[in-house]
Amino acid sequence: MREKLPKAVFKNLKKTIDEGLPLDPSIADVVAAAMKEWAVERGATHFTHWFQPMTGITAEKHDAFLSPTESGALLEFSGKELVKGEPDASSFPSGGLRATFEARGYTAWDCTSPAFLREEADVITLCIPTAFCSYTGEALDKKVPLLRSMEALSTQAVRVLKLFGNNDVTRVTSTVGAEQEYFLVDKSFYLQRPDLMMAGRTLFGAMSSKGQELEDHYFGSIKERVLSYMKEVNEELWKLGVTAKTQHNEVAPGQFEIAPIFENTNIATDHNQMVMDVLKRVALRHDMVCLLHEKPFAGVNGSGKHNNWSMSSNDGQNLLEPGHTPHDNAQFLTFLMATIKAVDTYAGLLRCSCANAGNDHRLGANEAPPAIISVFLGEQLADIIDQIVKGVAKSSSMSGHMDIGVSTLPALPKDATDRNRTSPFAFTGNKFEFRMLGSSFSISGPNIIINTIIAQALKEIADALENSTNFDADLDKLLQEIAKKHQRIIFNGNNYSDEWVQEAAKRGLPNIPSTPDALKELVSKEAVEVFAAHNVFNEKEVHARYEIMVEQYVKTLNIEALTMIDMANHSIIPTAIEYATTVASSINAVTAVSSKLDVSTQKELLEELSDKLAAMSANTKALEKALEDALNIADAEKQAAAFRANVFTKMGELRATGDALEKIIAAKYWPLPTYREMLFVL
C-alpha cells in the first residue's frame, strides 16, 4: 500500500484501519486503481468479493478486470467495484431474514483485512475480504457481527482503562491464535468410502488392533509424505500472508496440527478460513484428502480447534498480561475478573458457540473438554482469587527455576503454574485458550460471543466505578463481590473425570451435552438482551441464526442416516450375503467329500453371519422408519430433538451391527477400506 498509494491516501486508509474510523469514500477509486495495478502485475485476471455467509465456509463470485470499449477492451477496476458487490443472496442460509424470491444482497469491502492473491489452476484472482448483508441491512454473514462485537469490546475496555488513568488509549482489539487440527487419508481410500465423501466421517468401521494407545504418534517423527505436504501448505499460506508457525503430529494416527502466530481477531478469522481451504486443496496435490470433521474415526481422538484469545490496546499493552506480581496489578485483575464473570454468567451461550453435530461426538469423550464450561486459572491466580474473596490479595506465588539433575543441561525457568489440557477455558500465561471448538468451525461465532459477553462484564464494571469518589476502595470491593459470586466457575482439576460432572452439578453449572439443547441458549432472554445491548445482533438476526443452526443439525444427521442406509443396502448386506453363501458352499463341498469331516467352525461362522445379517437388516429398516418419522415433524425444534433422540440412536445401533459383520467377514470380501489402512497408510 505504501508503495502503490499516494502518501495522503495511504495515511488516510491506514488511519481507518488502525483507529476504526469510517472509510473516506473519496479515496476508493485511487485505492482500487492501485490494487488492480498490484494484482495485474502479478498475473491476476479476475477479482472476487470474498465473504463468509452463514454456511460456515467462504463464498466468492469471480469477475474479470476486462471491460469492453469501442476499440477493444481495457483492464478496469473502479472504486465502486472495490467497495460494493451484489451477489445473489437468495440461495444462502438466511433463517427467514430473506425470502427465496428476495435475491438482493450486498458485499462491502472490509479494508481492515488485507486483500490477497490466490492462484489455482494457473488462474490468479484478487480476493477482497468483504462483509455480506441483506437488502434490508441485516447481517447475512459471520464477519459483520464479529466486527460489531470487536467494536463493543473496544468501547467498554477503553472505558475501564481510563478509570486507571490511561487516557491515551483509544482502541482495544481482541486477538486470536487458532490452532487447527486435521486428519489426512490416502485419496484412494477416501474415494472408496461413501461415508467420508458424503459425511466427512466414517459411519461404519471396526477399530483396528492398534489405535493411539501407545501414544507414539503425538509429536512423533513426521512421515516424509506428510512433511512434503506440510512444506507446501506453509509455502501457500505464507504467500497469502498467513503466519503459519507450528506443525506437528497429533495424538491419533493420521492426525496433525498447524498453528499460526496470533493476530487481530477479524484477520485471524479470515486467515483460519484460508488455512482450512489450503489444507484441503494442497492435500489433493499429494493424493491425499484432508478431513476437518470433528470425529472422522471412532475409537481415536477427534479434531478440535484451540482459540487462544486475549486483548491488546493500541498503546501496546496485552490486557491479560499478569506481570511478575499479579496480586498488585489491579488493571490485570480487573480484566481477569471481567472474563471470569462473563464466562460464568453466559456459560450456556459459550457452550452454544461450539455446538454442531460433529462436535457432539467429541465433547466429553476424554479427548476434549466436557460440555460443562469451567475456567482454569492455575495455582498462582486461583490463590489470588482466594485472597480476594477473603479480603485483598497481598501476595503472588513466584515462579523459579527447575533443576533437572544433569550438569550439562541448563536450568529451565519454571512457569508460575502448570497447564490443564482438560479445561474448556484455560488461562495460559497471558491469554485464555478456549478448547471446545470443533475443527470444522469458523472461529467467528465463538469469538463474537467471547467479545460480547466480556464487553458486557466490562460495561458493568465501568458503570459501577466511573462515578466513584474512592476508586481503589470501591475497586477492591467490586472485585471481591465478583470473586465471591463467580468463583464457582473456576476449576483446576481433571475436567474428564466423573467426579467433576457431579461437582459441577453441585455448583449449579450447566451441563448441555447435545446440540439441540445447546442451541436454545442462543435465543434465551439473556442472550438476546446482551447482543442487542452491544449492537452485535438484533432480535431478528439472533433468531435467524438459531433457525439456521437447527436446520444444519437436522440436515447433517439426515445426510448421515441416508448414507448409512445406502451403504448398508448396497454394500455391507450384499457382501455379508455373498460371504455367507461362500461359507455355506464350503460346508456343502466338505461334507460331500465325507460326512465324517468336521465343519463345525464353518457352521458356527455361518450361524453368526446369519444372526448378524438379520440384525443388520432389521436395524436398517428401523433407521429408515426413525428417519421417516423425524422428517414428517413440521416444527424445527421438535424435529431436531427427534433426530437426536431417535435417528442418532438408530444410527448407532446400525453401526454396531455393521462393525460386527466387518470383524467376521474375510478381508478379501469386505468392500470398504479398513481403519488399519486409513489410519496407518500414509
Side-chain angles (χ1 to χ4, degrees), residues 535-592:
N535 193 35
V536 174
F537 293 123
N538 61 37
E539 188 169 358
K540 284 175 63 179
E541 290 171 328
V542 172
H543 282 274
R545 278 153 179 78
Y546 173 71
E547 288 183 27
I548 289 168
M549 288 190 280
V550 169
E551 185 178 279
Q552 286 175 338
Y553 176 81
V554 167
K555 287 179 176 178
T556 298
L557 286 188
N558 185 50
I559 290 168
E560 290 184 351
L562 289 172
T563 304
M564 288 192 83
I565 292 166
D566 178 68
M567 292 174 72
N569 286 333
H570 297 106
S571 183
I572 298 175
I573 289 175
T575 297
I577 292 171
E578 180 185 2
Y579 186 53
T581 303
T582 300
V583 175
S585 298
S586 169
I587 294 170
N588 291 335
V590 172
T591 54

Side-chain angles (χ1 to χ4, degrees), residues 33-46 65 75-77 117 124 126:
M35 195 181 286
K36 183 208 73 176
E37 180 185 345
W38 171 77
V40 171
E41 283 176 356
R42 287 156 179 77
T45 56
H46 289 70
F65 289 119
L75 293 179
E76 289 187 339
F77 184 51
L117 296 175
I124 298 177
L126 170 64

Side-chain angles (χ1 to χ4, degrees), residues 180-355:
Q180 177 71 53
E181 295 176 347
Y182 61 96
F183 277 84
L184 293 173
V185 296
D186 190 278
K187 184 180 176 183
S188 64
F189 298 147
Y190 174 85
L191 294 176
Q192 296 176 66
R193 295 283 317 204
D195 45 4
L196 285 182
M197 294 178 68
M198 296 294 103
R201 74 179 181 98
T202 53
L203 300 171
F204 292 101
M207 188 59 201
S208 61
S209 54
K210 178 187 175 185
Q212 63 189 44
E213 62 270 30
L214 293 180
E215 300 172 333
D216 55 349
H217 191 258
Y218 189 56
F219 277 31
S221 177
I222 302 171
K223 291 181 179 179
E224 188 172 325
R225 183 184 184 188
V226 176
L227 198 57
S228 175
Y229 162 76
M230 289 178 169
K231 177 177 180 289
E232 188 172 352
V233 165
N234 283 326
E235 289 171 349
E236 291 291 328
L237 290 174
W238 294 338
K239 287 178 189 176
L240 296 169
V242 179
T243 53
K245 174 75 172 174
T246 303
Q247 60 194 30
H248 61 82
N249 287 359
E250 257 299 334
V251 172
Q255 186 186 32
F256 309 93
E257 181 180 292
I258 185 171
I261 297 172
F262 74 92
E263 51 197 342
N264 167 300
T265 302
N266 179 41
I267 297 174
T269 301
D270 287 355
H271 282 180
N272 184 249
Q273 292 287 354
M274 292 153 69
V275 166
M276 292 190 287
D277 180 59
V278 168
L279 286 172
K280 290 187 287 187
R281 286 193 292 111
V282 173
L284 295 174
R285 300 176 197 166
H286 292 256
D287 288 322
M288 297 186 291
V289 173
C290 174
L291 303 176
L292 293 176
H293 194 282
E294 286 72 27
K295 194 73 172 178
F297 302 100
V300 296
N301 279 12
S303 294
K305 184 151 23 196
H306 297 174
N307 190 86
N308 295 280
W309 183 92
S310 190
M311 296 172 276
S312 295
S313 62
N314 65 326
D315 65 348
Q317 298 181 72
N318 179 345
L319 302 182
L320 291 178
E321 174 59 59
H324 295 297
T325 54
H327 70 279
D328 62 8
N329 187 341
Q331 179 179 291
F332 162 73
L333 290 176
T334 301
F335 281 93
L336 176 71
M337 295 305 296
T339 304
I340 292 169
K341 171 183 169 69
V343 173
D344 186 30
T345 305
Y346 297 100
L349 198 51
L350 268 180
R351 167 65 182 95
C352 167
S353 75
C354 297

Side-chain angles (χ1 to χ4, degrees), residues 31-156:
V31 175
M35 195 181 286
K36 183 208 73 176
E37 180 185 345
W38 171 77
V40 171
E41 283 176 356
R42 287 156 179 77
T45 56
H46 289 70
F47 70 91
T48 181
H49 276 199
W50 184 81
F51 59 103
Q52 299 169 43
M54 289 184 285
T55 56
I57 57 176
T58 59
E60 54 200 56
K61 175 175 71 97
H62 296 205
D63 289 300
F65 289 119
L66 208 65
S67 295
T69 66
E70 290 182 3
S71 57
L74 291 174
L75 293 179
E76 289 187 339
F77 184 51
S78 68
K80 181 180 178 182
E81 289 173 308
L82 168 64
V83 171
K84 178 183 170 186
E86 191 178 328
D88 186 339
S90 63
S91 296
F92 291 111
S94 72
L97 288 175
R98 303 288 285 154
T100 302
F101 66 88
E102 296 173 318
R104 195 181 297 276
Y106 298 118
T107 50
W109 176 36
D110 174 18
C111 65
T112 65
S113 184
F116 57 94
L117 296 175
R118 190 177 62 201
E119 182 176 3
E120 292 182 70
D122 296 326
V123 176
I124 298 177
T125 304
L126 170 64
C127 299
I128 303 160
T130 52
F132 182 43
C133 62
S134 73
Y135 179 69
T136 49
E138 290 95 354
L140 293 176
D141 70 344
K142 293 179 177 287
K143 181 180 279 284
V144 169
L146 178 64
L147 292 171
R148 291 172 180 169
S149 74
M150 292 174 67
E151 288 192 10
L153 179 70
S154 178
T155 298
Q156 303 306 326

Side-chain angles (χ1 to χ4, degrees), residues 204 612 615-617 619 652-662:
F204 292 101
K612 287 180 167 50
M616 181 87 180
S617 178
N619 285 338
E653 293 171 0
L654 178 55
R655 175 171 188 151
T657 51
D659 293 355
L661 280 169
E662 180 183 350

